[in-house]
Amino acid sequence: MKPRTKLQFHVLEHSRCLRDIDNHILEWAKSACFDHEGYATKTRVICLECGQRFSPELVTRKRAVCPHCSGKLTIRNTRKRKNSQSMYIAKAEVHDEFQVIRNFLLHAHYAEDREPRYYVKEVLQHWIKEDGTREVVARAYNMGCTASWTGDLEIRKKTIGGSGYYNYGQNDVHPWAYHPNSEFRPVYTRYGINARLQGLSFLQALRILPYDSKAETLLKAKQYELLSYCESRAGRIETYWSSIKICLRNKYKIKDASMWFDYLQLLERYGKDLHNAHYVCPKNLHKAHDTYMKKKAGDDEKERRERDKQKMLKLKEAAENYIKDKSRFFDLQISDGKIVIVVLKSVDEFMLEGEKMRHCVFTNEYFKKKDCLILSARIGKQRIETVEVNLKTLKVVQSRGVCNSNTEYHDRIVGLVRKNINLIRQRMTA
């Protein structure tokens, strides 16, 4: 969009005068940001840094140094021959009264027998005055089959109100890292914002830190994993703040916040002291988490077995009551020479009928209904439909085939039951 205000003209003029640092950013990112990997099989290792092969004998504990380019590699066991990486990198600068955050999108493509190909493009700039006034200089962000930044850097309209003000890909991005030569104004560094900022984007930090002392504490303690929870899941930070302070006092770095919070919930379940560093600062979080998960799984299994036991006891009681209530109908058989209709005589028969006919005669516990008589219409050994008769009105309530459908014999079955309804009445008065 075209600049309209004096501030927008001023920002755009400064933006056009910024030094081109794309190659500077890329050279730093190649060594400090991108993963350096080798893909290994039993017979060869492909160095993605130069595309050349070398012997697996040079691999030690998933690490190796490429004999061709001297690259220090992390080795992955895979038959893949290609890889790609993408990330945002940012650099903070100060220009006149503005704090400027320059965001770059980097791509890297690797393949066997080929030198890596790198691409870098500056996509977004935030120009922020000390009073909080902000202007955005960015490329257009197009959402299609593949989202991409296109066009030239120019003044862009800011989204107003709600969480949209910080929309990812429109007015804000989350840099993987800030260039170590980044420069921040003292008004921001006093909150702990510097080139090591993680967990929050710069705009999120500006919105949260001045009003959230807990977030400021986490940032200054470099607890970046927990800091990321201050934006969308602040409730967890509030709930477990006492345990977090234990970690801070013991200089315990939480590297997987999601697992750590799950672990605390497990500790709560088993009545452990969340103010005790022995519990909240485990030496091996994965191992401690797995220990309590196994304990929980065992307890859940015991609870399930107990529920099943109680369910079976209730089912046994229901089966006895069913026989007591409906045994007088068990000798009933209705037939027209081809179709035979019989009464279901046990809970097990209800279960089998439900499985074969794929309907809810068992799961909805029709055997517990006092005024309900369930019959099974069959031709030979094949079940055709399941019939429900109301013992109060002596009317056919429903007759259902497989998956509750009506079969070609539906009217014939319903008519046959109605024709012989007196047989049911006789057994009720016997």
Side-chain angles (χ1 to χ4, degrees):
M1 95 183 196
K2 293 182 179 180
R4 291 182 171 84
T5 67
K6 182 178 179 180
L7 177 60
Q8 289 176 347
F9 276 105
H10 187 47
V11 165
L12 193 57
E13 180 182 353
H14 275 280
S15 175
R16 289 169 177 166
C17 295
L18 289 179
R19 188 164 60 93
D20 184 358
I21 58 172
D22 288 13
N23 292 331
H24 181 62
I25 290 289
L26 181 57
E27 286 304 313
W28 169 71
K30 283 181 183 179
S31 59
C33 301
F34 285 120
D35 295 328
H36 307 284
E37 295 182 327
Y39 286 171
T41 65
K42 292 181 180 180
T43 59
R44 54 85 179 142
V45 179
I46 299 173
C47 172
L48 297 183
E49 294 298 301
C50 64
Q52 300 299 310
R53 291 188 175 202
F54 60 89
S55 171
E57 294 178 356
L58 298 178
V59 178
T60 304
R61 295 181 181 179
K62 301 295 183 181
R63 301 282 180 179
V65 176
C66 176
H68 305 287
C69 67
S70 300
K72 296 180 180 179
L73 309 175
T74 299
I75 305 301
R76 290 175 52 194
N77 293 321
T78 175
R79 298 182 66 85
K80 288 175 59 177
R81 299 165 183 264
K82 295 181 180 180
N83 188 33
S84 61
Q85 298 181 57
S86 297
M87 65 179 64
Y88 288 102
I89 299 295
K91 187 173 188 296
E93 300 177 1
V94 176
H95 293 276
D96 292 341
E97 73 269 38
F98 296 101
Q99 173 70 65
V100 183
I101 307 297
R102 304 177 65 179
N103 296 279
F104 300 81
L105 177 60
L106 282 69
H107 295 287
H109 300 280
Y110 308 92
E112 184 181 8
D113 295 328
R114 192 171 64 191
E115 290 287 333
R117 292 176 295 161
Y118 298 98
Y119 303 92
V120 58
K121 177 166 62 175
E122 187 169 8
V123 296
L124 176 66
Q125 300 171 358
H126 291 114
W127 293 72
I128 305 158
K129 296 181 70 173
E130 195 166 335
D131 62 4
T133 305
R134 177 174 71 94
E135 288 296 339
V136 176
V137 177
R139 301 182 192 274
Y141 189 73
N142 297 316
M143 296 293 292
C145 296
T146 303
S148 62
W149 298 89
T150 59
D152 298 323
L153 286 166
E154 57 184 48
I155 291 288
R156 296 289 170 185
K157 184 177 180 180
K158 299 187 292 294
T159 308
I160 304 298
S163 60
Y165 192 85
Y166 299 94
N167 277 352
Y168 174 82
Q170 185 174 359
N171 287 322
D172 198 11
V173 295
H174 288 254
W176 188 88
Y178 284 82
H179 193 278
N181 292 338
S182 293
E183 181 184 4
F184 293 90
R185 286 187 175 278
V187 67
Y188 305 128
T189 57
R190 73 184 183 190
Y191 292 116
I193 296 176
N194 53 39
R196 292 187 294 272
L197 177 64
Q198 297 176 31
L200 298 173
S201 72
F202 183 77
L203 292 187
Q204 289 173 322
L206 289 193
R207 188 177 73 173
I208 294 173
L209 293 174
Y211 313 104
D212 188 337
S213 60
K214 291 182 175 65
E216 182 180 352
T217 298
L218 293 175
L219 179 58
K220 290 180 177 178
K222 302 177 184 178
Q223 292 280 5
Y224 302 122
E225 269 284 310
L226 292 178
L227 186 64
S228 64
Y229 276 67
C230 293
E231 174 71 5
S232 58
R233 291 163 286 185
R236 281 192 162 190
I237 298 292
E238 193 69 34
T239 301
Y240 295 109
W241 184 245
S242 295
S243 298
I244 292 171
K245 288 194 293 185
I246 298 293
C247 294
L248 299 182
R249 283 199 293 270
N250 287 272
K251 298 185 180 344
Y252 180 79
K253 186 62 66 70
I254 297 169
K255 297 179 180 179
D256 189 332
S258 178
M259 180 177 288
W260 188 74
F261 282 123
D262 289 345
Y263 170 66
L264 292 189
Q265 289 179 325
L266 290 168
L267 292 178
E268 281 185 310
R269 174 183 173 130
Y270 292 104
K272 302 302 180 182
D273 184 5
L274 297 189
H275 297 84
N276 189 327
H278 172 74
Y279 292 112
V280 301
C281 305
K283 292 181 179 179
N284 188 324
L285 175 60
H286 284 77
K287 184 177 180 180
H289 177 268
D290 289 348
T291 297
Y292 280 95
M293 279 298 295
K294 288 178 182 177
K295 183 176 176 63
K296 179 179 180 296
D299 291 346
D300 289 346
E301 179 62 21
K302 288 180 182 178
E303 291 175 5
R304 185 192 65 78
R305 285 200 296 267
E306 183 60 29
R307 287 195 303 269
D308 289 347
K309 181 180 178 181
Q310 294 301 320
K311 186 176 180 181
M312 289 304 296
L313 289 174
K314 291 180 180 179
L315 200 60
K316 182 179 179 181
E317 183 182 353
E320 292 172 352
N321 291 335
Y322 178 75
I323 293 173
K324 182 179 178 181
D325 293 339
K326 302 295 193 307
S327 59
R328 53 188 162 169
F329 300 103
F330 286 174
D331 65 339
L332 177 65
Q333 181 170 303
I334 302 171
S335 177
D336 64 358
K338 182 176 182 180
I339 298 174
V340 178
I341 302 175
V342 296
V343 177
L344 297 181
K345 299 179 179 61
S346 68
V347 172
D348 288 340
E349 288 192 12
F350 273 83
M351 183 185 297
L352 187 59
E353 185 83 3
E355 289 176 356
K356 296 292 185 181
M357 303 298 285
R358 287 183 281 173
H359 54 43
C360 60
V361 70
F362 174 74
T363 54
N364 282 3
E365 300 181 332
Y366 277 77
F367 50 84
K368 289 185 177 180
K369 298 183 178 182
K370 297 288 186 180
D371 299 319
C372 169
L373 184 64
I374 302 298
L375 307 101
S376 177
R378 305 168 182 177
I379 297 177
K381 294 183 179 180
Q382 183 181 2
R383 300 167 194 265
I384 306 302
E385 290 192 9
T386 306
V387 186
E388 178 188 356
V389 175
N390 186 302
L391 293 177
K392 281 187 175 181
T393 63
L394 291 178
K395 292 183 178 180
V396 176
V397 177
Q398 58 181 330
S399 183
R400 304 292 186 188
V402 175
C403 298
N404 290 311
S405 62
N406 289 341
T407 68
E408 57 182 304
Y409 300 101
H410 177 75
D411 293 338
R412 184 173 171 178
I413 292 170
V414 173
L416 186 58
V417 174
R418 287 173 177 168
K419 184 178 178 180
N420 293 274
I421 205 74
N422 280 331
L423 297 177
I424 298 175
R425 183 183 288 111
Q426 289 172 9
R427 281 159 178 77
M428 290 176 64
T429 57

